[in-house]
Amino acid sequence: MRKLALMTVGAFIFCSTASAQDNCCSADLATPTTDCCSLVGKFDVHDFGSYKLHIYLSGDQMGDASFIVEGIDSLVTMEQPLFKVNAESFDKYLSSIGKPVAHRISDFHLGNTGDNILLVPEGMTEVFKGPQYSGMMSHFAEQYGDAIVALPTGKTEEVKFGSTVTLAGVPFTFLRGASNDFPGADIVIGKDVVYMHFAPAQAHINTLYADTAEGVDARIAELEAALATEANLFVGSHGSPATVDDVKFLIEYLKKVKELRDSSLDANSFSSALIAAYPDLPGVENVANLAKSLYSSK
């Protein structure tokens, strides 16, 4: 329930920078033809030749991001929005592309997929039904009321970890995600993109990302596996699109966290040492809670 409590206040590691004042599509957008500036949130489009990745940074209370993979003839959605106002913008944009939706993926998040069949990583069907996830969604319903969409009613089809499925003409490889997170997948899209729960960023982490030494190890392993794919774009349901340099930075940062946890006498000295090591890094407000959590499990 600790993770649930963190999630309900929107205390995510890396939040979207989209805002009501910055809600237009990116300037390089060739399609769709909808009036993008009437949408809530921000779309960003990356063209990889054989497919496009449309990234929707919602700007919602939890910094959620959603995705559309555009193949030649059809579309795949991933992690559709939770809030109605964002779902409306997402669906408006989705329709304007002018291609049918062939598949919908819910990896870590349930959103506005209605009665459509959902592709999910193996084991995630039971997680969605389980007490922690269902409790989290119930709390969201209590907290946000009619502002959030109804839970999906469609059946799920599971994809085994380590397998590749071709959807809309694009290969999706489902790798096992970090062991300290829900048992979702890190998904390699084509050969260019890795989707993770949290996009890597050059910022101090918070305890939702990792709150124990084992969790830090799990995130390092996840990032190293992502780097090994030789992709050049790294995205997440929380955070802005990231680069190879962002991934490398976060690996080194997490190794420094491990080093300082082992060498510092207490949480206060750890905090001071970590801030001194990265004096200009955003997210300094997360360090005290990270230190407290790391030392409570030491």
Side-chain angles (χ1 to χ4, degrees):
M1 296 304 291
R2 180 183 182 192
K3 179 177 286 189
L4 169 59
L6 285 167
M7 294 179 77
T8 56
V9 296
F12 290 107
I13 172 178
F14 311 126
C15 290
S16 163
T17 58
S19 69
Q21 290 73 40
D22 183 22
N23 65 351
C24 293
C25 300
S26 58
D28 63 348
L29 180 60
T31 58
T33 58
T34 186
D35 179 5
C36 295
C37 288
S38 69
L39 303 179
V40 173
K42 178 181 178 180
F43 280 91
D44 189 18
V45 183
H46 296 258
D47 190 340
F48 297 102
S50 60
Y51 70 96
K52 293 179 181 179
L53 178 66
H54 303 250
I55 303 170
Y56 176 53
L57 299 174
S58 69
D60 70 14
Q61 291 92 324
M62 291 173 281
D64 286 349
S66 302
F67 308 90
I68 303 166
V69 179
E70 180 185 352
I72 295 174
D73 299 317
S74 57
L75 309 171
V76 178
T77 72
M78 295 176 54
E79 308 294 86
Q80 290 188 208
L82 176 65
F83 288 86
K84 287 181 179 179
V85 64
N86 301 114
E88 181 179 353
S89 286
F90 184 86
D91 286 346
K92 178 180 178 181
Y93 182 96
L94 183 68
S95 296
S96 73
I97 298 176
K99 297 178 182 180
V101 179
H103 301 279
R104 300 175 195 260
I105 297 173
S106 283
D107 192 351
F108 289 94
H109 293 175
L110 293 174
N112 66 313
T113 56
D115 61 358
N116 292 283
I117 294 173
L118 293 179
L119 293 182
V120 302
E122 64 175 292
M124 205 62 186
T125 302
E126 291 306 311
V127 172
F128 285 149
K129 296 177 181 177
Q132 185 177 16
Y133 201 96
S134 60
M136 178 182 70
M137 296 305 291
S138 294
H139 186 88
F140 287 162
E142 293 172 2
Q143 185 171 5
Y144 299 115
D146 194 48
I148 63 173
V149 300
L151 287 177
T153 57
K155 295 181 180 179
T156 59
E157 294 181 356
E158 297 194 353
V159 180
K160 290 187 176 297
F161 292 120
S163 65
T164 299
V165 293
T166 299
L167 310 171
V170 181
F172 291 71
T173 300
F174 281 60
L175 305 177
R176 191 180 295 273
S179 60
N180 67 323
D181 209 336
F182 290 125
D186 287 355
I187 302 175
V188 184
I189 304 170
K191 296 180 180 179
D192 313 281
V193 183
V194 177
Y195 160 81
M196 295 177 277
H197 194 180
F198 300 98
Q202 298 195 29
H204 287 292
I205 66 169
N206 73 22
T207 53
L208 184 60
Y209 188 70
D211 60 356
T212 64
E214 294 77 15
V216 172
D217 285 335
R219 292 300 183 181
I220 292 173
E222 177 188 37
L223 292 166
E224 289 178 338
L227 204 58
T229 66
E230 299 185 349
N232 53 54
L233 182 67
F234 303 84
V235 300
S237 288
H238 308 290
S240 298
T243 66
V244 169
D245 287 343
D246 294 323
V247 177
K248 290 179 177 178
F249 173 88
L250 190 52
I251 290 171
E252 292 307 310
Y253 169 91
L254 292 170
K255 288 180 177 179
K256 176 61 73 172
V257 167
K258 284 185 60 179
E259 174 192 323
L260 293 177
R261 180 183 180 272
D262 291 339
S263 61
S264 301
L265 292 176
D266 54 33
N268 288 335
S269 57
F270 168 88
S271 295
S272 297
L274 185 60
I275 293 170
Y278 300 96
D280 301 318
L281 202 63
V284 68
E285 67 277 3
N286 293 325
V287 173
N289 283 337
L290 174 65
K292 181 179 179 181
S293 183
L294 288 173
Y295 278 80
S296 68
S297 60
K298 190 170 182 179

